Amino acid sequence: MIMSLERQQQLEAAYVMPTFARKPVELSFGGGMYAYDAEKKPYLDFIAGIGVLSLGHCHPMVVEALSNQATKLIHVGNYYYIENRGEVAKMISDLLSETDEVTEADGSETEVDLLDLGEKVDMADFVEVDAVPADADDAGRTAQAGSAGAADRAASAGQVYKAGPAGSAGSVDGAVAAAVIEPTAKVKMITRAEAIAKAKAAVEARAAAVALTEATAKAAAAEVVEVADVAAAVEAAVRIDVPRAVSAEVLAADEIDRTLFIDAVVAGVKTLTKGKGETSSVTAKAAAKAADTDTATETGIDADAVAAKAADAAKAADAATANTDMVVAKDVDEPPVTFTAPPAGDLVAVQLPAEDADAAVQPPAADAADAAVQPPTADAAAVQSPAEGATAAVQPDTWKTFFANSGAEANECAIKLARAHARHQGRKSREILTFRGGFHGRTLAALAATSQPAKQEKFAPLPKGFANIPFNDINALEKVFKYASGLICAVMVECVQGERGVYPCSPEFLRSVERLAHENGALLICDEIQTGIYRCGSKPFAFQRYGIQPDIVTIAKGVASGFPTGMCAARSEVADLFEPGDHGTTFGGSNLAVAATKATLEALATTGVTGRIEETGNYLREALRALPQVTEVRGMGLMTACDLDRRLSAPTIVEQGLEAGLLLNATGPQTLRFLPPLICEKKHVDEMIEKLQAVLGQYDAEQDEEAL
């Protein structure tokens, strides 16, 4: 016997935490697009448990998989191998590797040549460098590295480039530094661009460190700090690792809030005025408010202590850069950049230049500055052309997955992985950049990443290390990476902000996010909790419709048809930074979760459901636009929202929809969100629109009566 709704309400009021404002209906059964109450009244489901039920209620393939697994083994923990976990992880990796189109929001697809979206690694970008036998009697060839000419030649030759002190010990010269060119000990694979960038960075490192420490010393001594001056010093210095100096704390040697600096840059705050006070720091809110006066006040700073820290930072800069080694073929701080050579004949091989000391040390002519980075010409004697028809042996992207229980847990994993990556890079500052209006979960770190103050304020203080800027604002994004690139270790973005009311990123904005993140060594995290698993169309993930390449993708909701499952997937080179014990879960990736996920993905791949998502989504949005009470419609695939006339209340429409047999969702006072199961067809859209139209008409009539 099913317990009555009244009794359920009494029990929950007494024993369940009041974290949800539940609707006055008890759902007891389900099948396909419909859920049923105890009286067997049908409810057409256009919210799918908030985008979870990809295959609708109780899909036979999922029910069978769970039933079969439950009779064999329910749970054993993650210390052991179980059936299908690896297979499911491979399925996810294969889905994440799909990409061949860019699609505008609202379902209109535009074919785009992916080469226009950024340089893709190709075998032609790699050179094979033959090792030169080291001469024990030769201490190396020394050169002056004006214009980094020797660095260019050293890089193209696969040699070690050492940047030592210019002139006598302790002197500073940012334009000219002494260089020692030595033969390499091993054959390594490295891109020309990376080799030259590393070599030039060594030449510039000392000047950047000195400029940075001078800026911090000046900031410590002054009452008013010019944000632009310090920001420029930060921008220059992030190329190197100088303890206590190359990080967000540079504004006043660890005394000014990192998020304040980022917010000041974005908001256009020109100066930070220091003074004594009761509070310890100025929050990001203060900087935003200060945009009107171009001034923000930072309190609680001891100028003498800051000056002392700046002096220590200057000494650290000298110590850290006086004998910096920049190794072209093998970086001293990171694993070697290697590439497994395919069979002979498939790789372009470049010989080293002849042993000519003068040629090795002379900078290239002004009109040939880029000669070192050009690929060898087809008729060059040193080039061995690949066999006709041979193809590069580049392996497709491989993704590795951590299995969790929810989207928030998946995002927590992504945050930890991004910080681990920053530590691996040697970054001292590990801020994660997010976007206002986004939603990443309700656990503390995920909530800190969620840029919605109304959701955060009650639970302060939240973990630090998160900064946010306006959504779809390329100008703000560029400001952050111009003045604070060294502070950002990762960018976390939803391709479509769903919880806010279905707001898609513009293609230009999302491509800028990808470009700036990767140009500055930051990871790109795509939160696909709501958008993933075909929710946004014919591609498994929304990022694939934009043609971008993230480093980490978080997944949940629709991946297991309602069984609690979350995933954090990362490119293998990022994922492998985790070691046993770095992260974990008790229930994630359990036997039942894996069975439900496998059945869901197999059903989506074999039943033809994904082929009609685009068409049905477009049909839904056109039908909503035809309603006179609707003022705006947004969406992608089967992820849609509409704004109602200001006279209407979306939460009231949701309540009245229950009486009409509709399950709807309101994300704001006038916003309805539609996340139907992916099995939705046009006939279901027609039924929903008919019911919704009746509800809206009834509400209009009631409002008119009240007005009279």
Side-chain angles (χ1 to χ4, degrees):
M1 180 178 178
I2 297 176
M3 189 177 294
S4 69
L5 172 61
E6 291 76 15
R7 181 55 178 159
Q8 292 284 15
Q9 291 173 321
Q10 291 171 1
L11 289 171
E12 292 210 11
Y15 301 109
V16 177
M17 287 189 184
T19 56
F20 288 91
R22 304 194 200 280
K23 305 297 182 286
V25 62
E26 180 186 357
L27 299 174
S28 304
F29 310 97
M33 285 290 298
Y34 297 88
Y36 301 83
D37 64 17
E39 304 300 322
K40 298 186 180 179
K41 175 184 175 179
Y43 294 82
L44 180 60
D45 191 349
F46 260 69
I47 195 59
I50 315 296
V52 167
L53 302 170
S54 297
L55 300 169
H57 293 274
C58 300
H59 190 279
M61 290 180 66
V62 178
V63 171
E64 181 180 8
L66 286 171
S67 299
N68 290 341
Q69 184 61 53
T71 62
K72 296 194 302 182
L73 191 63
I74 291 178
H75 180 77
V76 293
N78 279 297
Y79 292 112
Y80 313 100
Y81 292 95
I82 64 169
E83 287 184 277
N84 299 322
R85 186 191 290 128
E87 183 180 354
V88 167
K90 182 183 184 303
M91 294 169 77
I92 293 295
S93 179
D94 292 344
L95 291 175
L96 286 164
S97 298
E98 287 189 23
T99 176
D100 61 7
E101 69 181 22
V102 174
T103 310
E104 303 291 341
D106 198 20
S108 56
E109 296 186 5
T110 306
E111 295 295 328
V112 174
D113 182 357
L114 288 182
L115 294 178
D116 293 337
L117 302 180
E119 182 181 357
K120 300 293 185 289
V121 176
D122 192 292
M123 282 294 296
D125 291 328
F126 288 85
V127 294
E128 181 179 19
V129 182
D130 295 330
V132 180
D135 187 344
D137 297 328
D138 185 6
R141 299 184 296 277
T142 304
Q144 288 299 109
S147 302
D152 285 356
R153 293 179 179 275
S156 62
Q159 295 169 326
V160 177
Y161 178 79
K162 277 188 178 179
S168 61
S171 65
V172 177
D173 189 334
V176 179
V180 178
I181 300 179
E182 298 175 344
T184 56
K186 296 181 179 180
V187 173
K188 297 292 182 185
M189 303 303 302
I190 189 167
T191 64
R192 295 182 181 86
E194 183 178 13
I196 292 169
K198 284 177 178 290
K200 287 183 176 180
V203 176
E204 300 167 354
R206 187 173 179 76
V210 171
L212 175 64
T213 52
E214 287 177 351
T216 54
K218 180 180 177 181
E223 285 298 319
V224 176
V225 180
E226 296 293 333
V227 171
D229 291 347
V230 181
V234 175
E235 181 183 14
V238 294
R239 300 188 187 96
I240 58 173
D241 180 13
V242 181
R244 304 298 298 171
V246 182
S247 66
E249 297 91 331
V250 70
L251 277 173
D254 211 13
E255 294 295 336
I256 290 181
D257 195 313
R258 292 190 292 264
T259 56
L260 170 64
F261 174 55
I262 293 173
D263 222 53
V265 168
V266 173
V269 175
K270 296 179 181 178
T271 61
L272 296 172
T273 302
K274 298 185 300 184
K276 303 292 183 180
E278 296 297 327
T279 58
S280 60
S281 67
V282 173
T283 64
K285 283 185 179 180
K289 290 179 181 178
D292 294 335
T293 60
D294 288 336
T295 303
T297 300
E298 173 67 21
T299 61
I301 294 179
D302 183 337
D304 293 336
V306 171
K309 287 186 178 182
D312 291 341
K315 293 178 182 178
D318 283 340
T321 59
N323 294 294
T324 301
D325 288 351
M326 289 304 296
V327 183
V328 171
K330 182 178 182 300
D331 191 283
V332 294
D333 293 324
E334 298 178 356
V337 180
T338 60
F339 190 90
T340 302
D346 284 357
L347 186 66
V348 176
V350 181
Q351 282 186 341
L352 288 172
E355 290 286 339
D356 185 341
D358 292 335
V361 301
Q362 296 299 322
D367 60 351
D370 294 330
V373 302
Q374 299 299 322
T377 57
D379 57 355
V383 176
Q384 298 174 358
S385 300
E388 186 174 352
T391 57
V394 179
Q395 296 298 316
D397 290 330
T398 298
W399 295 74
K400 293 185 177 181
T401 293
F402 174 83
F403 290 86
N405 303 284
S406 68
E409 288 183 55
N411 282 333
E412 292 275 348
C413 177
I415 290 166
K416 288 179 67 174
L417 190 54
R419 298 271 169 77
H421 182 263
R423 185 176 188 276
H424 177 73
Q425 288 182 313
R427 287 176 179 256
K428 298 298 181 182
S429 182
R430 300 167 191 175
E431 300 289 311
I432 294 177
L433 187 66
T434 64
F435 301 97
R436 292 172 195 166
F439 181 80
H440 300 290
R442 300 180 190 272
T443 52
L444 277 181
L447 184 61
T450 293
S451 306
Q452 296 187 40
K455 289 183 170 62
Q456 297 173 325
E457 290 172 354
K458 188 174 183 178
F459 309 104
L462 296 176
K464 295 183 178 180
F466 298 90
N468 66 79
I469 62 173
F471 179 66
N472 266 342
D473 188 335
I474 296 176
N475 182 53
L477 183 72
E478 289 178 340
K479 281 184 179 180
V480 169
F481 278 102
K482 180 178 180 180
Y483 295 113
S485 60
L487 317 186
I488 307 301
C489 75
V491 183
M492 193 172 199
V493 63
E494 299 162 280
C495 297
V496 183
Q497 289 190 343
E499 198 267 351
R500 175 187 168 207
V502 188
Y503 287 88
C505 290
S506 71
E508 297 78 13
F509 174 73
L510 204 51
R511 291 172 202 157
S512 296
V513 171
E514 177 200 33
R515 175 179 59 82
L516 290 169
H518 289 162
E519 283 179 357
N520 290 279
L523 294 181
L524 176 57
I525 304 170
C526 278
D527 180 338
E528 294 264 5
I529 302 303
Q530 189 171 147
T531 55
I533 312 300
Y534 299 97
R535 171 57 58 185
C536 288
S538 58
K539 288 294 173 184
F541 298 97
F543 77 80
Q544 293 162 334
R545 298 192 62 176
Y546 287 88
I548 65 169
Q549 294 291 333
D551 304 290
I552 302 174
V553 177
T554 54
I555 307 162
K557 290 193 181 291
V559 76
S561 296
F563 197 92
T565 303
M567 300 175 180
C568 175
R571 297 186 182 280
S572 56
E573 62 269 24
V574 177
D576 286 342
L577 294 174
F578 269 168
E579 298 176 354
D582 283 347
H583 199 56
T585 175
T586 297
F587 297 109
S590 70
N591 304 70
L592 291 176
V594 167
T597 302
K598 183 172 184 287
T600 299
L601 296 179
E602 287 178 345
L604 288 170
T606 59
T607 58
V609 168
T610 60
R612 62 171 181 259
I613 292 172
E614 303 274 355
E615 183 181 359
T616 306
N618 291 337
Y619 185 76
L620 168 61
R621 285 183 286 279
E622 287 304 313
L624 288 169
R625 289 189 182 101
L627 297 176
Q629 298 90 344
V630 171
T631 60
E632 182 176 314
V633 178
R634 302 173 296 276
M636 184 183 291
L638 280 173
M639 185 174 183
T640 297
C642 73
D643 292 338
L644 303 175
D645 186 283
R646 287 189 174 275
R647 299 177 300 109
L648 304 176
S649 164
T652 301
I653 296 301
V654 171
E655 294 285 347
Q656 294 181 349
L658 290 174
E659 297 180 14
L662 276 181
L663 299 183
L664 301 175
N665 174 244
T667 63
Q670 278 81 42
T671 302
L672 293 174
R673 176 173 52 168
F674 304 87
L675 300 171
L678 303 184
I679 61 172
C680 181
E681 300 179 34
K682 290 181 179 179
K683 64 181 181 181
H684 301 121
V685 173
D686 291 339
E687 181 183 349
M688 188 277 294
I689 291 293
E690 182 180 353
K691 292 177 181 292
L692 179 60
Q693 197 165 20
V695 171
L696 292 172
Q698 178 184 348
Y699 187 89
D700 275 343
E702 291 174 354
Q703 293 295 102
D704 291 341
E705 287 181 9
E706 290 180 7
L708 295 175

